[in-house]
Structure formats: structure tokens, C-alpha cells
Amino acid sequence: MQNQLKTILEEAKEQLKNAVSLTEAEELRVKLLGKKGKMTEILRSMGSLSPEDRKQMGMIANATRAEIEGLLSERMNALKEMQKNARLQAETIDVTEPGVSRKLGTKHPISITIDQVCQVFTSMGFSVVEGPEIETVFYNFDALNAPKNHPSRDMSDTFYITDDVLLRTQTSPVQVRTLMKQKPPIKVIAPGRCFRCDTPDATHSPMFHQIEGLVVGENITMADLKGTLDAFAKQLFGPEAKTKFRPHHFPFTEPSAEMDVSCFKCGGTGCNVCKGSGWIEILGCGMVHPHVLQVGGVDTEKYTGFAFGMGVERVAMLKYGIDDIRLLYENDMRFIEQFR
Ligand code: DAH
């Protein structure tokens, strides 16, 4: 029995040395000192010894047990320390290591242009409103007085989702939504995305942006339209900018016009930007057609209004001298960063 105890102790020493984790050490403890452990087994078997031997063996067994316990707790403490050190090592932060530099983005020329135009109009007391990009045929065409056979309604020009739902081809439906929601006096601009079935080339994109304007009130006349848009052009392009209005046709305005701005590159003498004419077409406009006002529930005996719409890409391209609309959608930072 004494030999047995000796072997157990020797084995325990060896095994503890090889235990490299706390779990392993704990398993060893159970194996040696647990209820079914080797030491317990021996202590139990001492019942068959004579009282003399039992006393002596008991002392040896207890000493062995105490030694094993001591070795166990020593090893466990060492393992705990090792674990802690390993964790600290793993969590070490090298404060001298250079940080990851996060590049600051820049505003896109389209956003800059929208912001500038909105800024000019809000300074004149307009508020900015928005409408959905997914529209109904009613708001995009019917309510805007577009004839049933108008070519812009064709599948080849408009992205239809269903027979009644489409991607808006213009921001003009926001006029109708605003008229239905607000009572005159109304003074709003509505920037946003529009979509048309165009094959991309230097001047066409199936997705583009417009800014719509709508003013409705008592005694609003063509003179208000001209005065407002001339003031806008002077603020956006500089005080020397001149404007001129040419008759045009839109279903939702009567009379309708297009506004040209004197070329801001050559000042009107003729250059490559204005194609020699000295003028640049900038927007469509007109007095809101009574049919549109009526759809919006406006009393056309009391109120009149004017509206306008411009292409944001066109303004941005002219302002920044960008010769291909596709550059605006490639999101090449080398391009975008130029317009800070
Ligand atoms: N919606 C027109 C277009 O996409 C632009 C336009 C013209 C808007 C005249 C207007 C307007 O509000 O009065 O071509």
C-alpha cells in the first residue's frame, strides 16, 4: 500500500507537470482526489488493515494527499498566471503604430448644384419640397394636362412598372402633389431624380435630376415669373448675367417659355460653350395651366401661378465645363474631388 501511494504521488507529479491548461489540471484533481479518485480508493481499502497498520498507513496517506493537494494548487496558480500573461500579451496595443487614415469624401457636383439652386430660391422665400420617384400615370401625366397620345407617355420614353405606375419622367408631378396638399399662397421648389428610357451618351442618361418650381397666389403674372427667374440667374451666374425668354410649349403651362442665360463663359460674344450663339438654354417655364390648378383644387378665378423646371446635370455641366454627363455617375474620386 505504501508503494501504491508512492506511485500515485510520482505519477501525479509527472502528470501535473504535463498539464498545460486549467481544465487538464482540474481533470487530474478529480482523477486523484475526487469521490472515485485513486486516493479515495486507497483510503477506503484501509478498513481491512489491523488498527496498528491503519494508523500508520493513515498518516502516510494523509501526508500524500496533502502533498498532492499542495502540488495541484501550485500548478493551478502557475497555469492561471500563464493564462493571464497570454491574454495580456494578446491584448497589447502598439500605441506607436500609425492609424488607418479615413479619407474625407467630397460633395458631388450634382449635390453642390442642387444646394446652390435651393439656396438661391430659399433666400427668396421658397420652401423645398419633395415627391416620390415612383409615381402614378395620374400625377406624372394626366394631372399635368398631358394629352392621352403625348409621345412622352410611350413605353419607349417612360419606364413603366405597371400600366398605372412608373418612374417619374420629370419633377412636375410634385407641383400637383403640392397643390393638393397646400393652400395658396404657394412658393416651393422640388429637386429630385427623374428617369427616362434614354440610351446613355455624352448628353443623355436614363437617370438624371431636375429642380421644379411652383408659385401660386393672387395676381401672379408673367412679370413675376420673369422677375423671379432673372433674379435667380443673376444670383447663380453673376450680376452680369442677362436672360431672355423664348415662346415654347408644355402641356401644363399656358403660355410656356424657355429661358436662356447669356453665356457665362464668353459673356455673349459666342464661344464653344454657347455654340457661338451667346445664349444658353437653362430652363422651361410658364403660367400654370388652369387645368392643373383645378386638379389641385385651386380656385382659378382667384389664383394664378407660374412654374419652371430645370435639368440639374445641364446646369452643373455648363457651370463646371463638364463635357460628358456619364462622368457624373462614375464616382471616380479624381473627378469628384475637383468640385470641392
Ligand atoms: N417638366 C419639364 C420637362 O421635363 C420641364 C418644365 C417645363 C417644368 C416648364 C415646368 C415648366 O414646371 O413650367 O421637360
Side-chain angles (χ1 to χ4, degrees):
M1 200 171 270
Q2 207 171 338
N3 281 341
Q4 253 179 318
L5 283 167
K6 221 173 171 180
T7 324
I8 290 178
L9 183 61
E10 289 312 313
E11 274 178 15
K13 278 185 185 164
E14 191 60 28
Q15 285 170 337
L16 266 173
K17 224 193 298 172
N18 295 334
V20 290
S21 70
L22 281 171
T23 354
E24 272 178 51
E26 173 60 18
E27 273 166 19
L28 214 52
R29 192 189 63 77
V30 174
K31 224 166 79 185
L32 293 164
L33 309 176
K35 266 190 207 145
K36 290 176 186 157
K38 281 186 182 163
M39 280 305 293
T40 324
E41 217 172 274
I42 289 199
L43 288 169
R44 246 185 232 137
S45 70
M46 280 184 350
S48 57
L49 297 176
S50 66
E52 275 298 86
D53 290 348
R54 203 187 304 156
K55 194 175 161 200
Q56 210 200 340
M57 285 313 294
M59 268 162 57
I60 301 177
N62 278 338
T64 310
R65 192 192 160 90
E67 189 165 356
I68 291 178
E69 272 172 354
L71 289 170
L72 257 169
S73 76
E74 210 174 88
R75 184 65 185 154
M76 282 191 160
N77 284 340
L79 285 171
K80 270 185 203 152
E81 188 65 21
M82 271 159 65
Q83 258 184 9
K84 191 174 97 188
N85 286 339
R87 208 187 66 227
L88 288 176
Q89 186 81 36
E91 288 175 0
T92 306
I93 294 168
D94 179 0
V95 291
T96 65
E97 198 173 297
V100 185
S101 67
R102 307 234 177 259
K103 269 189 104 180
L104 261 191
T106 52
K107 261 200 181 160
H108 193 278
I110 293 292
S111 304
I112 297 174
T113 308
I114 290 176
D115 287 354
Q116 284 175 346
V117 172
C118 286
Q119 156 66 35
V120 171
F121 281 105
T122 49
S123 77
M124 295 193 232
F126 282 68
S127 42
V128 181
V129 294
E130 283 186 341
E133 290 167 13
I134 297 172
E135 259 299 2
T136 60
V137 170
F138 172 76
Y139 285 108
N140 197 82
F141 292 125
D142 299 340
L144 287 164
N145 203 35
K148 284 280 178 223
N149 61 352
H150 198 276
S152 65
R153 290 184 182 244
D154 282 359
M155 290 271 289
S156 58
D157 288 291
T158 299
F159 291 111
Y160 283 90
I161 295 169
T162 67
D163 283 349
D164 299 320
V165 182
L166 45 71
L167 298 183
R168 70 176 175 194
T169 61
Q170 47 189 354
T171 43
S172 304
V174 188
Q175 285 189 38
V176 182
R177 289 182 175 274
T178 306
L179 289 171
M180 288 175 145
K181 239 187 293 186
Q182 296 184 24
K183 294 235 166 308
I186 292 171
K187 252 171 117 178
V188 295
I189 45 164
R193 276 198 189 97
C194 305
F195 307 84
R196 283 181 201 175
C197 298
D198 278 328
T199 309
D201 64 24
T203 52
H204 293 87
S205 161
M207 188 280 292
F208 56 97
H209 299 74
Q210 288 189 339
I211 299 176
E212 193 78 14
L214 175 69
V215 173
V216 179
E218 283 180 62
N219 305 317
I220 298 288
T221 69
M222 194 85 182
D224 296 302
L225 178 159
K226 289 179 83 172
T228 305
L229 294 178
D230 184 74
F232 157 71
K234 286 185 166 52
Q235 280 213 45
L236 194 70
F237 298 112
E240 325 73 42
K242 288 193 286 288
T243 55
K244 105 180 156 184
F245 292 79
R246 285 177 289 101
H248 202 77
H249 172 79
F250 297 106
F252 37 86
T253 44
E254 181 58 36
S256 304
E258 275 188 335
M259 183 179 88
D260 294 347
V261 179
S262 55
C263 180
F264 40 79
K265 187 170 178 198
C266 65
T269 52
C271 69
N272 61 329
V273 172
C274 59
K275 304 208 180 76
S277 75
W279 295 96
I280 295 169
E281 180 229 312
I282 223 74
L283 53 79
C285 56
M287 299 304 292
V288 183
H289 198 291
H291 287 175
V292 178
L293 292 175
Q294 279 153 11
V295 172
V298 174
D299 179 357
T300 47
E301 291 298 317
K302 194 169 173 198
Y303 299 109
T304 49
F306 70 83
F308 55 90
M310 72 190 87
V312 178
E313 277 77 358
R314 191 177 154 72
V315 174
M317 287 169 78
L318 288 167
K319 261 191 86 141
Y320 294 120
I322 300 166
D323 58 7
D324 193 321
I325 196 170
R326 290 167 292 195
L327 287 167
L328 293 167
Y329 309 117
E330 282 165 3
N331 285 337
D332 184 334
M333 282 307 285
R334 291 169 302 180
F335 171 76
I336 296 173
E337 273 170 351
Q338 299 176 73
F339 309 100
R340 264 177 222 276

